[in-house]
């Protein structure tokens, strides 16, 4: 069974600085999808970025980018120029390419932005 | 506005009572999911449905049941609530189940407290 591990329960970063949230996963599959979701205090779950495992190029969405290391099974999220609105819980998620797929989430990293 | 509607937003329930959490989506998504979110445990899959008329068990299905009579609705029922079911429950949907790179779209959650 697949697992997703976020080893940093909490992190803090100074406003305008860069922060990297780590995520590792365990799978025997060669093709899959990875996602980062953001959950602000409003409780809403918001998709931040996604990556297909067959793509070597790292995904980028404005200030958000990933470092996808397939061999190491690592999928870290980098937030550049951190803003107060980035304060949230961040979840890493794995989606299998099996027909009967399960979407597995990590336990989350709470990110604090220091003004 | 297209999306997922969950009801109620919050509920306090006496142990032993039956409760149905409602979830409706208007995006004509085939796949729907129920997750529970607990502090330190992230999101865990309870049940899912890849298409109307089919359902499957997730990681933590005990004590819960679901039905998928049509595309839009995916109610979650607690037959006899217990305090360990105190949690925030999220309904989510995806255009397809099975092999797909589609992200999940989430409702705003239901906070359930069982006393």
């Amino acid at each position: 069974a697949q697992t997703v591990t976020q080893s940093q329960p909490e992190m803090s970063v100074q406003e305008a600085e860069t922060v990297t949230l780590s995520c590792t996963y365990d799978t025997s599959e060669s093709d899959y999808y990875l996602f980062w979701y953001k959950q602000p205090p409003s409780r809403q779950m918001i998709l931040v970025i996604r990556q297909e495992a067959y793509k070597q190029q790292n995904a980028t969405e404005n200030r958000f980018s990933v470092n996808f290391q397939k061999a190491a099974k690592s999928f870290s999220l980098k937030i550049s120029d951190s803003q107060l609105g980035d304060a949230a819980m961040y979840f890493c998620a794995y989606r299998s390419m099996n027909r009967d797929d399960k979407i597995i989430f990590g336990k989350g990293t709470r990110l604090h932005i220091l003004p | 506005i297209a999306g997922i509607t969950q009801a109620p937003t919050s509920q306090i329930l006496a142990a032993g009572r039956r409760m149905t959490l409602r979830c409706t989506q208007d995006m004509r998504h085939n796949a729907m999911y129920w997750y529970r979110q607990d502090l330190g445990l992230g999101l865990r899959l309870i049940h899912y449905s890849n298409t109307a008329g089919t359902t499957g068990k997730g990681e933590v299905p005990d004590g819960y049941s679901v039905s998928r009579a049509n595309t839009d609705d995916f109610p979650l029922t607690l037959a006899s609530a217990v305090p360990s079911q105190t949690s925030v429950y999220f309904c989510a949907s995806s255009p397809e189940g099975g092999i797909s790179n589609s992200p999940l779209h989430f409702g705003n959650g239901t906070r359930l407290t069982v006393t």
Side-chain angles (χ1 to χ4, degrees):
Chain A
Q2 294 86 12
T3 59
V4 176
T5 301
Q6 295 179 247
S7 59
Q8 306 148 315
E10 287 194 67
M11 294 189 70
S12 297
V13 63
Q14 207 73 37
E15 193 176 4
E17 296 294 309
T18 295
V19 64
T20 298
L21 281 57
S22 67
C23 173
T24 59
Y25 55 94
D26 187 27
T27 184
S28 58
E29 299 174 334
S30 59
D31 290 314
Y32 45 86
Y33 308 104
L34 297 165
F35 305 90
W36 277 99
Y37 282 88
K38 169 185 177 181
Q39 186 182 42
S42 66
R43 205 167 72 189
Q44 186 181 9
M45 291 285 287
I46 303 165
L47 176 69
V48 175
I49 200 165
R50 72 173 112 178
Q51 174 83 41
E52 289 85 353
Y54 61 85
K55 290 185 177 179
Q56 294 186 342
Q57 186 173 4
N58 289 325
T60 299
E61 289 286 344
N62 300 314
R63 298 183 295 108
F64 298 87
S65 61
V66 298
N67 183 6
F68 174 49
Q69 301 288 329
K70 190 173 184 179
K73 298 179 183 177
S74 172
F75 183 59
S76 60
L77 175 69
K78 186 173 82 171
I79 306 174
S80 304
D81 186 25
S82 297
Q83 300 175 1
L84 294 177
D86 296 333
M89 182 73 85
Y90 286 82
F91 292 99
C92 178
Y94 172 101
R95 182 165 195 170
S96 170
M97 284 192 74
N98 287 331
R99 171 50 62 181
D100 192 22
D101 77 314
K102 306 293 192 297
I103 301 168
I104 308 298
F105 286 81
K107 295 181 179 181
T109 296
R110 183 169 298 282
L111 179 64
H112 303 278
I113 309 296
L114 307 174
Chain B
I1 298 176
I4 297 178
T5 301
Q6 288 187 239
T9 302
S10 66
Q11 180 76 45
I12 300 173
L13 186 68
R17 297 296 296 270
R18 180 184 180 91
M19 175 76 189
T20 295
L21 307 185
R22 300 185 297 279
C23 175
T24 300
Q25 53 104 356
D26 60 4
M27 297 175 284
R28 306 303 295 172
H29 285 178
N30 282 322
M32 297 186 75
Y33 310 83
W34 275 105
Y35 287 88
R36 60 177 289 174
Q37 182 181 9
D38 303 288
L39 190 63
L41 298 177
L43 282 83
R44 293 180 292 169
L45 182 64
I46 304 171
H47 285 287
Y48 67 96
S49 168
N50 282 337
T51 188
T54 68
T55 62
K57 294 181 179 180
E59 182 183 356
V60 288
D62 294 341
Y64 306 94
S65 63
V66 292
S67 62
R68 188 86 185 278
N70 57 62
T71 297
D72 299 342
D73 301 300
F74 191 44
L76 176 73
T77 297
L78 289 68
S80 179
V82 296
S84 63
Q85 292 177 309
T86 294
S87 186
V88 177
Y89 291 85
F90 284 96
C91 180
S93 72
S94 178
E96 311 87 31
I99 300 173
S100 170
N101 69 344
S102 298
L104 298 181
H105 299 258
F106 284 86
N108 287 333
T110 293
R111 181 178 294 279
L112 181 66
T113 302
V114 182
T115 60

